[in-house]
Amino acid sequence: MTSSVGEIGASKKKKNRELLLPILMLLPSIAAIAIFIYGFIAKTGYTSFTDWNTLVQTDNFIGFDNYRFLFSDFRFQSDLRNTLVFTILFIAATMMIGLFLALMIDRKVRGESFFRNVFIFPMAVSFIVTGVIWQWLLNPTTGFNLILRNIGFDSVPKWYTSTEIYLGLPIGQIKFGIPIAIIAVAIATVWQMSGFAMAMYLAGLRAVPDDLREAARVDGAKESQIFFKVILPQLTPITMSLIIILAHISLKIFDLVYAMTGPGAMFVTDVPGVYMFETTFRGNHYAQGAGIAMVMLAFISLLIIPYLFSSLRKGDK
């Protein structure tokens, strides 16, 4: 009896040690995340409510004054418009091109691996390099415009140097519409990310069972009906994941815009990331820069948190 009790006690101690070891292994990572991510977010959030807008740090609490200034500022209003337009153009074009490329490759074309590598290659290039390349390609005096002039076109697009706002309606201090210049930025970003969308959709297409397609054909469904009623519903999880990933990229984009156009004339290509960088590290307005960062975090959270809750609920089921 005594020996069995001792064995039970030893077994419990062994289990406790086995549980304790993983916890101890994770503690450094948990501490680093708590300090360098959530701790810094909390510090940035607090700074956004202070008057620290000089080189000398001050912690005087001023409430929402920095946020009131931002949302009444012409440049920040332009940034919000540009981000909205850019996000819609970027996500829509990237997903449509990616799906089209995936459908073409899914036909088992010759040289499939070659085409896959060609389409996904731009992802290996940094956004800085992409910005520099497309700055030259879309420059009013070089790149595509030089080719257009050489073949006889006198009137060529201004691309990212244009200050025109298409369908502009006055809202606040800005014209709310589609800045022509932001389309050029969207073209460069779509070029880089459409290969990623292609890879995601191709994986989804290859996961659709052939039995479903054959069953639909046996029932007399046309190829277009098979695509819209059988294949597309199967790609819904891929589509949702792509929307989240691409929207996250568009909301926090900085390097491509900074390398390609900067804020642009009349801030037609400016985005919150560029404004935050210049406000914080060039203007030394740390509290206002922190406010921009918190607005960006709020937008990204509004997008990602509902998706995470939805995923967790599906996982529980």
Side-chain angles (χ1 to χ4, degrees):
M1 182 71 177
T2 306
S3 61
S4 63
V5 172
E7 289 174 0
I8 293 171
S11 177
K12 285 183 177 179
K13 287 181 180 179
K14 185 179 179 181
K15 286 182 179 179
N16 289 337
R17 283 198 298 269
E18 289 176 352
L19 288 172
L20 184 61
L21 183 60
I23 294 172
L24 291 175
M25 293 292 288
L26 289 172
L27 272 178
S29 297
I30 294 171
I33 291 171
I35 294 170
F36 295 107
I37 296 181
Y38 296 104
F40 283 6
I41 288 174
K43 174 61 178 174
T44 302
Y46 177 76
T47 300
S48 69
F49 291 104
T50 68
D51 62 350
W52 184 14
N53 286 311
T54 62
L55 280 172
V56 180
Q57 182 175 353
T58 55
D59 291 322
N60 300 319
F61 187 82
I62 58 172
F64 289 90
D65 286 359
N66 290 314
Y67 292 97
R68 278 191 285 268
F69 168 78
L70 284 174
F71 283 99
S72 63
D73 180 38
F74 171 79
R75 180 173 183 178
F76 193 66
Q77 290 181 13
S78 300
D79 290 355
L80 297 179
R81 174 200 62 202
N82 298 343
T83 301
L84 176 62
V85 173
F86 171 77
T87 299
I88 294 171
L89 293 175
F90 168 54
I91 293 177
T94 300
M95 292 176 64
M96 286 191 292
I97 293 173
L99 180 58
F100 174 77
L101 294 176
L103 288 169
M104 294 299 101
I105 292 177
D106 191 48
R107 293 173 177 268
K108 307 291 195 322
V109 296
R110 283 187 179 183
E112 176 186 328
S113 59
F114 169 77
F115 287 112
R116 278 205 315 262
N117 291 331
V118 167
F119 293 141
I120 207 167
F121 171 75
M123 276 204 67
V125 181
S126 71
F127 273 129
I128 290 287
V129 175
T130 298
V132 172
I133 292 170
W134 282 91
Q135 181 193 48
W136 183 85
L137 289 174
L138 299 181
N139 188 289
T141 58
T142 60
F144 294 137
N145 282 0
L146 186 60
I147 296 172
L148 291 174
R149 285 195 181 93
N150 288 337
I151 61 176
F153 286 91
D154 295 326
S155 178
V156 293
K158 294 182 179 179
W159 300 111
Y160 59 80
T161 61
S162 173
T163 57
E164 183 183 350
I165 309 295
Y166 183 65
L167 300 176
L169 296 173
I171 296 179
Q173 297 187 49
I174 64 169
K175 281 187 177 180
F176 187 83
I178 303 174
I180 301 301
I182 206 69
I183 297 175
V185 179
I187 290 171
T189 320
V190 169
W191 173 81
Q192 178 149 7
M193 296 305 300
S194 57
F196 171 72
M198 176 215 68
M200 293 278 286
Y201 275 127
L202 185 59
L205 288 170
R206 295 284 165 86
V208 176
D210 289 333
D211 294 344
L212 286 176
R213 307 184 199 212
E214 291 302 325
R217 291 189 183 102
V218 170
D219 290 339
K222 297 178 181 178
E223 289 301 318
S224 60
Q225 292 174 319
I226 293 172
F227 175 72
F228 286 106
K229 295 185 178 181
V230 177
I231 296 175
L232 268 187
Q234 296 291 320
L235 297 178
T236 299
I238 301 291
T239 300
M240 292 304 299
S241 298
L242 269 174
I243 290 173
I244 296 299
I245 294 168
L246 297 177
H248 179 264
I249 291 171
S250 69
L251 290 173
K252 67 181 185 64
I253 195 166
F254 163 76
D255 36 7
L256 184 143
V257 177
Y258 194 77
M260 184 175 175
T261 66
M266 300 294 293
F267 304 117
V268 287
T269 58
D270 198 35
V271 290
V274 173
Y275 190 14
M276 181 188 67
F277 173 78
E278 293 188 347
T279 297
T280 306
F281 301 108
R282 290 190 171 179
N284 299 320
H285 298 293
Y286 296 98
Q288 290 176 12
I292 299 169
M294 295 309 295
V295 172
M296 292 172 66
L297 177 64
F299 287 154
I300 294 170
S301 299
L302 286 173
L303 183 75
I304 292 178
I305 291 175
Y307 176 75
L308 293 176
F309 274 116
S310 175
S311 299
L312 288 172
R313 286 179 183 176
K314 289 179 181 177
D316 291 339
K317 293 178 181 179

